[in-house]
Amino acid sequence: MRFPRRQFLHLATGAVALPAVWRAARAEDRPAPSTTIAERLAAYAYGLRYEDLDAETIERVKSHVIDTLGCGLAAFDEKPVRICRDVALLSSGGGATVIGTAHRVGPDLAAFANDAAVRYLDLNDAYVASVTGHPSDTIAACLAVAEVERSSPAELITAIALAYEINCRLIDAFDISARGWDVPVFNLPAVALAAGKLMKLPPDKLTQAVNLSLNDHIPMGQTRTQTLSDWKGIAAAEAARNGVFAAMLARGGLTGPAPIFEGRLGFFKLVAAPAALDVESFGQRGVPFRIHQCGMKSYPAHVSAQTAVPAAVALAKQIGNLDRVTAIEIGTTRRGYQMAGSGAEKWTPDSKETADHSLPYITARAMFDGDLDNDSYAPDKLHELRVVAFMRKITVKEDPAFATITVSVPPTRLTATLDDGRRVTLLVDKMPGFPGQPTSRTDVERKFRSNVGKRWSTAQTDAVLEALWRLDKTDDLSALLGRLSLQS
C-alpha cells in the first residue's frame, strides 16, 4: 500500500503517538554503533587473500584435502552413505561432482552426499578444544562450490583455510555442550562464509549468509548421546548442505535474522553464553592459521580413542595372556568420559555408530586384535563372546590429572589388575598426526592408500595422488574429481 505524501510525512514526524512499549522496543532494536560478530566474520572472510597463506599452510591444506577424500572413498559403499548419495542423485542437473561417481548435482546436495561419506567412518581429522570438531567436514562443500563457480586453485585453497579458521575459532570461543547442542553448529557459518567467498559475495551478503545459516539449522546434542544412530555420521553433512544453501540464498538477496549472535533471542541467548571473539587475531599473514592445530586420525574412532588404541595394544603385549586380567580401568578426559565412556550402551554396542564411540569396546578390541580398523565394527566382531566378556571387566573414569593439562589429543591411561594382584599402568598422551608430531607426505599417502584399498591399481593410485598434490596448480577441478570415480 502506498501512503499519500502528506500522510507519510505525518507518520514520519511522529504526530501519531506510538505506545510506550513500541517506542522502547524500537530503541532497543536499533543497531549498536559497533559491528556485530556476523559482520566481523564476514569482513575477515572478505579480506582474506591467497597471498596471506604461507607455503606451509598451503601444503597443510593439500594434506587435509587428500586425507579427507581418502576417508570419503573408504566409506563409499556404506549403507547410510549410499542412502545420502541416492537421495542427492534424485536431483537432475548441476555442476558439482558426487565424488566416486560420474554424476553431478547442485553444490548443496553434492556437499551433503560427499561429506556424508567423509564423516561416516569417523576417520577424518579433528580439532581438540573444550569440544572436538572435525573441520574437514567443510572441505566437501568448498570443492562443490569451487567446481560450480569455476574457482581458481588459489581461491579454493583460500576458502578451505578460511573454513578451517572460522570453524576452529568458534569452537575455541563458545561452549555449546553446556546447553546440549551439537558441534556441527560451527560448520554452518564456516561453510556459509567459505561458500560465499567462492561466490565472490560482498561483505553485506556474507553477513546475511551467516545469519541465514545459523538461524534455522542448530543441531541437537542427542545426535551423540545414548545409542547412536546413522545420523551421527551425517549431521555434519547436513550442516554443510545448509551452509552452502544459505550462501546461495544470500547471493540472491535474501536477508536473515539479525543480529544472529547478539539478538534478544539469538545465539548468545539460546545456544551459547556470550564470549569474546577477537577476529583480529585470526589467521593471516604472519599469524598462524588454526589448520596447523588440527590432527589427522590414525583410527576410525572417537578422538579420545586415538590414544586408547596404542595404549591397549602396548598393554596387551606387556601382559601377554589376557586371561590373567581381572580388571581394566580406562582413565580419560572429561569429554572422553562423557562421549565414549558413560552410558550402559557403551558396554553393549549393537552398531558401528555406538561402537566407535565406546572406549570399553575399542580398548578390548585393540587388546585382542592388536589394531583397530574399519572391519573392527562388523556385526560378528561386536558380538564376539570373548570381547563381550572382557568388556565387563572394564571401567571408565575421568582422570583428574588430565583436567589441568592442555594437549592436542586426549590422553589415555590404562591400568590393568592381574590375577596375582599386580597392577600394570600405561599412559599415551601423544599421537602421530596431531600437533607436535605432524604428518609427512609419506604418512598422508600411506593412509590414503589404506583407505582406497584394492579399488585401484598401484599405478592409478600413484597418479591420483600426484594430481591431488598439485591441487594448487590444477586448471580443471572437475577433471581432477572425475579421476576419483569408483564406478565403471
Side-chain angles (χ1 to χ4, degrees):
M1 173 178 182
R2 244 184 117 134
F3 286 108
R5 178 171 175 78
R6 182 176 300 172
Q7 184 178 356
F8 174 77
L9 289 174
H10 183 65
L11 291 171
T13 56
V16 176
L18 296 174
V21 65
W22 287 16
R23 291 198 301 273
R26 287 180 59 189
E28 182 180 338
D29 289 344
R30 290 193 191 106
S34 60
T35 57
T36 65
I37 286 179
E39 290 169 331
R40 297 202 300 274
L41 291 174
Y44 171 75
Y46 182 78
L48 190 65
R49 297 290 180 267
Y50 185 71
E51 292 73 26
D52 297 325
L53 279 57
D54 58 21
E56 186 180 0
T57 300
I58 295 169
E59 175 76 3
R60 194 65 183 260
V61 168
K62 293 191 291 184
S63 294
H64 283 265
V65 168
I66 293 171
D67 184 65
T68 297
L69 290 172
C71 293
L73 293 170
F76 185 81
D77 292 324
E78 298 291 336
K79 181 180 176 181
V81 174
R82 189 172 65 251
I83 292 170
C84 294
R85 183 169 63 247
D86 289 346
V87 169
L89 291 175
L90 290 174
S91 171
S92 59
T97 298
V98 177
I99 294 173
T101 79
H103 302 291
R104 297 183 189 177
V105 296
D108 55 333
L109 288 174
F112 175 71
N114 293 338
D115 192 49
V118 166
R119 183 75 187 91
Y120 184 72
L121 293 177
D122 215 339
L123 189 53
N124 60 321
D125 67 17
Y127 179 72
V128 180
S130 60
V131 295
T132 299
H134 301 275
S136 55
D137 288 330
T138 63
I139 287 178
C142 291
L143 290 171
V145 176
E147 185 178 10
V148 170
E149 297 295 320
R150 300 184 182 276
S151 303
S152 69
E155 290 168 339
L156 170 59
I157 288 172
T158 304
I160 293 172
L162 167 66
Y164 268 71
E165 192 71 11
I166 298 296
N167 190 292
C168 296
R169 295 288 187 165
L170 293 178
I171 288 174
D172 288 342
F174 301 113
D175 179 11
I176 58 165
S177 60
R179 298 186 187 178
W181 300 107
D182 196 16
V183 181
V185 64
F186 299 124
N187 296 21
L188 292 162
V191 169
L193 288 168
K197 187 168 183 66
L198 288 164
M199 295 175 188
K200 297 182 171 60
L201 301 188
D204 61 324
K205 290 191 174 182
L206 288 171
T207 300
Q208 296 305 330
V210 173
N211 295 341
L212 290 164
S213 70
L214 275 173
N215 189 71
D216 291 299
H217 312 294
I218 306 293
M220 292 191 293
Q222 187 61 31
T223 299
R224 286 162 228 290
T225 302
Q226 298 175 285
T227 300
L228 304 187
S229 68
D230 292 339
W231 194 252
K232 188 265 290 181
I234 310 299
E238 175 68 355
R241 182 181 75 86
N242 285 315
V244 173
F245 192 57
M248 294 166 67
L249 294 173
R251 175 162 61 180
L254 200 71
T255 62
I260 195 63
F261 285 95
E262 304 89 345
R264 282 182 293 166
L265 294 176
F267 190 86
F268 290 163
K269 178 71 174 179
L270 302 177
V271 181
L277 191 66
D278 182 11
V279 177
E280 297 298 321
S281 69
F282 284 18
Q284 54 193 285
R285 186 176 301 185
V287 179
F289 287 83
R290 274 295 191 266
I291 193 170
H292 296 290
Q293 297 301 313
C294 297
M296 292 187 188
K297 287 184 176 182
S298 297
Y299 307 103
H302 187 261
V303 70
S304 64
Q306 299 303 300
T307 51
V309 173
V313 171
L315 185 64
K317 288 181 179 178
Q318 190 171 342
I319 293 170
N321 182 4
L322 295 183
D323 290 339
R324 297 190 57 205
V325 176
T326 61
I328 294 276
E329 180 180 292
I330 303 174
T332 186
T333 61
R334 174 175 298 180
R335 186 69 174 169
Y337 173 75
Q338 291 172 341
M339 301 302 294
S342 60
E345 69 279 355
K346 299 299 191 291
W347 276 260
T348 56
D350 199 37
S351 67
K352 180 263 178 195
E353 288 75 18
T354 301
D356 71 20
H357 272 50
S358 165
L359 280 170
Y361 176 77
I362 290 165
T363 300
R365 185 86 266 164
M367 290 185 75
F368 278 101
D369 293 356
D371 198 6
L372 188 86
D373 58 25
N374 296 332
D375 295 331
S376 299
Y377 304 113
D380 60 322
K381 293 287 187 76
L382 297 182
H383 301 108
E384 187 176 351
L385 292 179
R386 64 173 182 167
V387 172
V388 172
F390 194 81
M391 288 169 62
R392 297 192 190 106
K393 303 177 182 180
I394 294 176
T395 57
V396 183
K397 296 182 178 180
E398 178 188 347
D399 192 320
F402 300 158
T404 57
I405 60 176
T406 302
V407 293
S408 59
V409 61
T412 298
R413 190 192 314 275
L414 295 185
T415 302
T417 303
L418 306 184
D419 52 9
D420 61 2
R422 187 164 59 97
R423 289 164 61 87
V424 183
T425 298
L426 200 150
L427 170 69
V428 175
D429 58 2
K430 295 181 176 62
M431 276 295 294
F434 282 80
Q437 298 184 55
T439 52
S440 64
R441 281 198 174 195
T442 300
D443 298 325
V444 174
E445 291 188 1
R446 183 184 300 113
K447 182 178 174 183
F448 183 86
R449 292 179 192 279
S450 70
N451 279 325
V452 172
K454 298 179 180 179
R455 295 182 182 275
W456 296 329
S457 66
T458 300
Q460 184 177 359
T461 304
D462 289 345
V464 167
L465 280 168
E466 182 180 357
L468 290 173
W469 283 121
R470 291 181 54 79
L471 180 65
D472 54 333
K473 303 290 193 303
T474 188
D475 57 1
D476 191 338
L477 182 59
S478 292
L480 176 59
L481 296 177
R483 300 181 70 166
L484 304 178
S485 179
L486 299 176
Q487 298 176 337
S488 57

Short mmCIF file of all heavy atoms in Angstrom, two decimals, residues 145-172:
data_model
loop_
_atom_site.label_atom_id
_atom_site.label_comp_id
_atom_site.label_asym_id
_atom_site.label_seq_id
_atom_site.Cartn_x
_atom_site.Cartn_y
_atom_site.Cartn_z
N VAL A 145 31.31 -26.08 -4.34
CA VAL A 145 31.06 -24.70 -4.77
C VAL A 145 32.15 -24.24 -5.73
O VAL A 145 31.87 -23.58 -6.75
CB VAL A 145 30.96 -23.76 -3.56
CG1 VAL A 145 30.80 -22.31 -4.01
CG2 VAL A 145 29.78 -24.16 -2.67
N ALA A 146 33.40 -24.58 -5.44
CA ALA A 146 34.50 -24.17 -6.31
C ALA A 146 34.34 -24.76 -7.71
O ALA A 146 34.63 -24.09 -8.72
CB ALA A 146 35.83 -24.61 -5.71
N GLU A 147 33.85 -26.00 -7.78
CA GLU A 147 33.65 -26.62 -9.09
C GLU A 147 32.57 -25.88 -9.88
O GLU A 147 32.74 -25.60 -11.07
CB GLU A 147 33.29 -28.09 -8.92
CG GLU A 147 33.19 -28.85 -10.22
CD GLU A 147 32.87 -30.33 -10.04
OE1 GLU A 147 32.54 -30.74 -8.91
OE2 GLU A 147 32.94 -31.05 -11.05
N VAL A 148 31.47 -25.57 -9.23
CA VAL A 148 30.37 -24.88 -9.91
C VAL A 148 30.78 -23.46 -10.31
O VAL A 148 30.43 -22.98 -11.40
CB VAL A 148 29.13 -24.85 -8.99
CG1 VAL A 148 28.06 -23.93 -9.56
CG2 VAL A 148 28.57 -26.26 -8.82
N GLU A 149 31.51 -22.79 -9.44
CA GLU A 149 31.89 -21.40 -9.69
C GLU A 149 33.12 -21.28 -10.59
O GLU A 149 33.52 -20.17 -10.95
CB GLU A 149 32.18 -20.68 -8.36
CG GLU A 149 30.99 -20.58 -7.44
CD GLU A 149 29.88 -19.73 -8.00
OE1 GLU A 149 30.18 -18.69 -8.62
OE2 GLU A 149 28.70 -20.11 -7.85
N ARG A 150 33.72 -22.42 -10.93
CA ARG A 150 34.95 -22.44 -11.72
C ARG A 150 36.04 -21.59 -11.06
O ARG A 150 36.72 -20.77 -11.69
CB ARG A 150 34.69 -21.96 -13.16
CG ARG A 150 33.67 -22.83 -13.89
CD ARG A 150 33.50 -22.40 -15.34
NE ARG A 150 32.50 -23.20 -16.01
CZ ARG A 150 32.72 -24.40 -16.58
NH1 ARG A 150 33.94 -24.92 -16.52
NH2 ARG A 150 31.75 -25.06 -17.17
N SER A 151 36.17 -21.81 -9.76
CA SER A 151 37.15 -21.05 -8.97
C SER A 151 38.57 -21.47 -9.33
O SER A 151 38.82 -22.60 -9.75
CB SER A 151 36.91 -21.28 -7.49
OG SER A 151 35.59 -20.93 -7.12
N SER A 152 39.49 -20.57 -9.12
CA SER A 152 40.90 -20.89 -9.34
C SER A 152 41.41 -21.74 -8.19
O SER A 152 40.80 -21.78 -7.10
CB SER A 152 41.72 -19.60 -9.41
OG SER A 152 41.77 -18.98 -8.13
N PRO A 153 42.52 -22.45 -8.39
CA PRO A 153 43.10 -23.22 -7.28
C PRO A 153 43.39 -22.34 -6.06
O PRO A 153 43.18 -22.76 -4.93
CB PRO A 153 44.40 -23.79 -7.88
CG PRO A 153 44.17 -23.81 -9.34
CD PRO A 153 43.29 -22.64 -9.63
N ALA A 154 43.86 -21.12 -6.31
CA ALA A 154 44.15 -20.21 -5.20
C ALA A 154 42.89 -19.87 -4.42
O ALA A 154 42.89 -19.82 -3.18
CB ALA A 154 44.81 -18.93 -5.72
N GLU A 155 41.78 -19.66 -5.13
CA GLU A 155 40.51 -19.33 -4.45
C GLU A 155 40.01 -20.52 -3.64
O GLU A 155 39.51 -20.35 -2.52
CB GLU A 155 39.48 -18.91 -5.50
CG GLU A 155 39.78 -17.55 -6.13
CD GLU A 155 38.94 -17.27 -7.36
OE1 GLU A 155 38.42 -18.22 -7.98
OE2 GLU A 155 38.81 -16.08 -7.72
N LEU A 156 40.14 -21.73 -4.19
CA LEU A 156 39.71 -22.92 -3.46
C LEU A 156 40.52 -23.12 -2.20
O LEU A 156 39.96 -23.35 -1.12
CB LEU A 156 39.83 -24.15 -4.37
CG LEU A 156 39.65 -25.51 -3.69
CD1 LEU A 156 38.27 -25.63 -3.04
CD2 LEU A 156 39.88 -26.64 -4.68
N ILE A 157 41.81 -23.04 -2.30
CA ILE A 157 42.68 -23.27 -1.13
C ILE A 157 42.43 -22.20 -0.07
O ILE A 157 42.39 -22.50 1.13
CB ILE A 157 44.15 -23.32 -1.57
CG1 ILE A 157 44.40 -24.63 -2.33
CG2 ILE A 157 45.09 -23.21 -0.38
CD1 ILE A 157 45.77 -24.72 -2.98
N THR A 158 42.23 -20.96 -0.50
CA THR A 158 41.94 -19.89 0.46
C THR A 158 40.62 -20.15 1.17
O THR A 158 40.50 -19.96 2.39
CB THR A 158 41.88 -18.53 -0.26
OG1 THR A 158 43.10 -18.31 -0.97
CG2 THR A 158 41.66 -17.39 0.73
N ALA A 159 39.62 -20.61 0.44
CA ALA A 159 38.31 -20.90 1.04
C ALA A 159 38.41 -22.03 2.06
O ALA A 159 37.77 -21.97 3.13
CB ALA A 159 37.30 -21.26 -0.04
N ILE A 160 39.20 -23.04 1.78
CA ILE A 160 39.36 -24.15 2.73
C ILE A 160 40.07 -23.67 3.99
O ILE A 160 39.64 -23.98 5.11
CB ILE A 160 40.12 -25.32 2.08
CG1 ILE A 160 39.27 -25.94 0.96
CG2 ILE A 160 40.49 -26.37 3.12
CD1 ILE A 160 40.00 -26.97 0.12
N ALA A 161 41.14 -22.90 3.83
CA ALA A 161 41.83 -22.35 5.00
C ALA A 161 40.88 -21.48 5.82
O ALA A 161 40.90 -21.50 7.06
CB ALA A 161 43.06 -21.55 4.57
N LEU A 162 40.04 -20.70 5.14
CA LEU A 162 39.06 -19.85 5.81
C LEU A 162 38.06 -20.69 6.59
O LEU A 162 37.76 -20.39 7.76
CB LEU A 162 38.32 -19.00 4.77
CG LEU A 162 37.07 -18.27 5.24
CD1 LEU A 162 37.43 -17.20 6.27
CD2 LEU A 162 36.33 -17.65 4.04
N ALA A 163 37.53 -21.74 5.97
CA ALA A 163 36.54 -22.58 6.63
C ALA A 163 37.12 -23.21 7.90
O ALA A 163 36.46 -23.26 8.94
CB ALA A 163 36.05 -23.67 5.68
N TYR A 164 38.35 -23.69 7.82
CA TYR A 164 39.02 -24.25 9.00
C TYR A 164 39.16 -23.19 10.08
O TYR A 164 38.92 -23.45 11.27
CB TYR A 164 40.40 -24.77 8.62
CG TYR A 164 40.44 -26.22 8.22
CD1 TYR A 164 39.91 -26.66 7.03
CD2 TYR A 164 41.04 -27.17 9.05
CE1 TYR A 164 39.96 -27.99 6.65
CE2 TYR A 164 41.10 -28.51 8.68
CZ TYR A 164 40.55 -28.91 7.49
OH TYR A 164 40.59 -30.24 7.13
N GLU A 165 39.57 -21.99 9.68
CA GLU A 165 39.82 -20.93 10.66
C GLU A 165 38.54 -20.56 11.41
O GLU A 165 38.52 -20.46 12.64
CB GLU A 165 40.40 -19.71 9.96
CG GLU A 165 40.97 -18.66 10.91
CD GLU A 165 42.25 -19.10 11.58
OE1 GLU A 165 42.83 -20.14 11.18
OE2 GLU A 165 42.68 -18.41 12.54
N ILE A 166 37.46 -20.35 10.67
CA ILE A 166 36.19 -19.98 11.29
C ILE A 166 35.71 -21.09 12.20
O ILE A 166 35.31 -20.87 13.36
CB ILE A 166 35.13 -19.67 10.22
CG1 ILE A 166 35.54 -18.47 9.34
CG2 ILE A 166 33.77 -19.39 10.87
CD1 ILE A 166 35.67 -17.17 10.06
N ASN A 167 35.73 -22.32 11.70
CA ASN A 167 35.26 -23.46 12.48
C ASN A 167 36.02 -23.58 13.79
O ASN A 167 35.42 -23.67 14.88
CB ASN A 167 35.43 -24.73 11.63
CG ASN A 167 34.77 -25.94 12.24
OD1 ASN A 167 35.20 -26.42 13.28
ND2 ASN A 167 33.74 -26.46 11.60
N CYS A 168 37.34 -23.58 13.72
CA CYS A 168 38.15 -23.78 14.93
C CYS A 168 38.05 -22.62 15.90
O CYS A 168 37.98 -22.82 17.12
CB CYS A 168 39.62 -24.01 14.54
SG CYS A 168 39.91 -25.51 13.58
N ARG A 169 38.05 -21.40 15.38
CA ARG A 169 37.97 -20.23 16.27
C ARG A 169 36.63 -20.16 17.00
O ARG A 169 36.57 -19.74 18.16
CB ARG A 169 38.21 -18.96 15.47
CG ARG A 169 39.59 -18.83 14.88
CD ARG A 169 40.64 -18.56 15.91
NE ARG A 169 41.94 -18.29 15.29
CZ ARG A 169 42.98 -17.74 15.91
NH1 ARG A 169 42.87 -17.40 17.19
NH2 ARG A 169 44.12 -17.55 15.28
N LEU A 170 35.55 -20.58 16.33
CA LEU A 170 34.27 -20.59 17.02
C LEU A 170 34.23 -21.69 18.08
O LEU A 170 33.64 -21.51 19.15
CB LEU A 170 33.14 -20.79 16.00
CG LEU A 170 32.91 -19.62 15.02
CD1 LEU A 170 31.79 -19.96 14.05
CD2 LEU A 170 32.60 -18.33 15.76
N ILE A 171 34.86 -22.82 17.80
CA ILE A 171 34.97 -23.87 18.82
C ILE A 171 35.74 -23.35 20.03
O ILE A 171 35.37 -23.61 21.18
CB ILE A 171 35.66 -25.12 18.23
CG1 ILE A 171 34.71 -25.83 17.26
CG2 ILE A 171 36.10 -26.08 19.34
CD1 ILE A 171 35.36 -26.99 16.51
N ASP A 172 36.80 -22.59 19.77
CA ASP A 172 37.58 -22.00 20.87
C ASP A 172 36.74 -21.06 21.72
O ASP A 172 36.88 -21.02 22.94
CB ASP A 172 38.77 -21.20 20.31
CG ASP A 172 39.87 -22.06 19.73
OD1 ASP A 172 39.92 -23.27 20.05
OD2 ASP A 172 40.69 -21.53 18.96
#
